[in-house]
Amino acid sequence: LYVAVSGLGNNKIYLNSMDAGTLGWSGWAARPGSTPNGPALAASGSYLYLLVRGMDNRIYWQRMTTGGSWSGWTAIPTGSTDAAPSAAFLSGRLYAAVKGRGNTNIYLNSMSEGTLAWSGWTKQSGSTSKTPALAASSTNAYMAATGSDYKIYWRRII
């Protein structure tokens, strides 16, 4: 189990992991980079993906192999946000959702794990003033968001 957080008052990115067998934690370790919001994690069978809002409001990602080595930070082409990103992995694709920068639009993008090519941001129906959430089952991906009426809305995106 991996947990990622933004440091209190310092914008550093911290990662911790728990061994499922012993329930022992590895301890908090600072990752390179910084974010003004909470990071997002998503796992495939081969990688653990970490997404953050950069200090320049762009969305950055990196991934860790099962052996524990990390790639460098890469910005998702185009797009910016003033909130934390969310992430989920399904069927060979990493999905990222964000609230638009300076507005309440919701955008979705996905990356092929094989080619590392992003599909491009697609505006979703609805609006939110908060970070939309993503989750995946073995067959579907879902998005949930707080509407302007403060109700929670969800839908299947894949």
Side-chain angles (χ1 to χ4, degrees), residues 62-127:
Q62 65 176 184
R63 65 185 185 177
M64 180 182 73
T65 66
T66 54
S69 61
W70 286 91
S71 67
W73 287 108
T74 303
I76 296 175
T78 70
S80 63
T81 186
D82 51 18
S86 60
F89 191 89
L90 178 67
S91 299
R93 299 198 70 82
L94 174 66
Y95 290 86
V98 297
K99 178 192 102 46
R101 182 175 173 213
N103 59 57
T104 59
N105 296 332
I106 301 168
Y107 295 94
L108 182 67
N109 202 341
S110 70
M111 181 189 76
S112 165
E113 185 172 52
T115 66
L116 305 184
W118 288 89
S119 63
W121 294 104
T122 304
K123 184 179 174 192
Q124 303 296 293
S125 61
S127 63

Side-chain angles (χ1 to χ4, degrees), residues 83-84 86 97-100 103-108 124-135 141-157:
S86 60
V98 297
K99 178 192 102 46
N103 59 57
T104 59
N105 296 332
I106 301 168
Y107 295 94
L108 182 67
Q124 303 296 293
S125 61
S127 63
T128 188
S129 61
K130 313 257 188 236
T131 298
L134 290 177
Y142 303 88
M143 179 185 293
T146 304
S148 58
D149 59 1
Y150 299 102
K151 293 181 180 178
I152 306 297
Y153 294 89
W154 71 273
R155 68 186 181 125
R156 187 174 66 202
I157 58 172

Side-chain angles (χ1 to χ4, degrees), residues 27-40:
W28 293 104
R31 299 282 318 131
S34 56
T35 183
N37 299 102

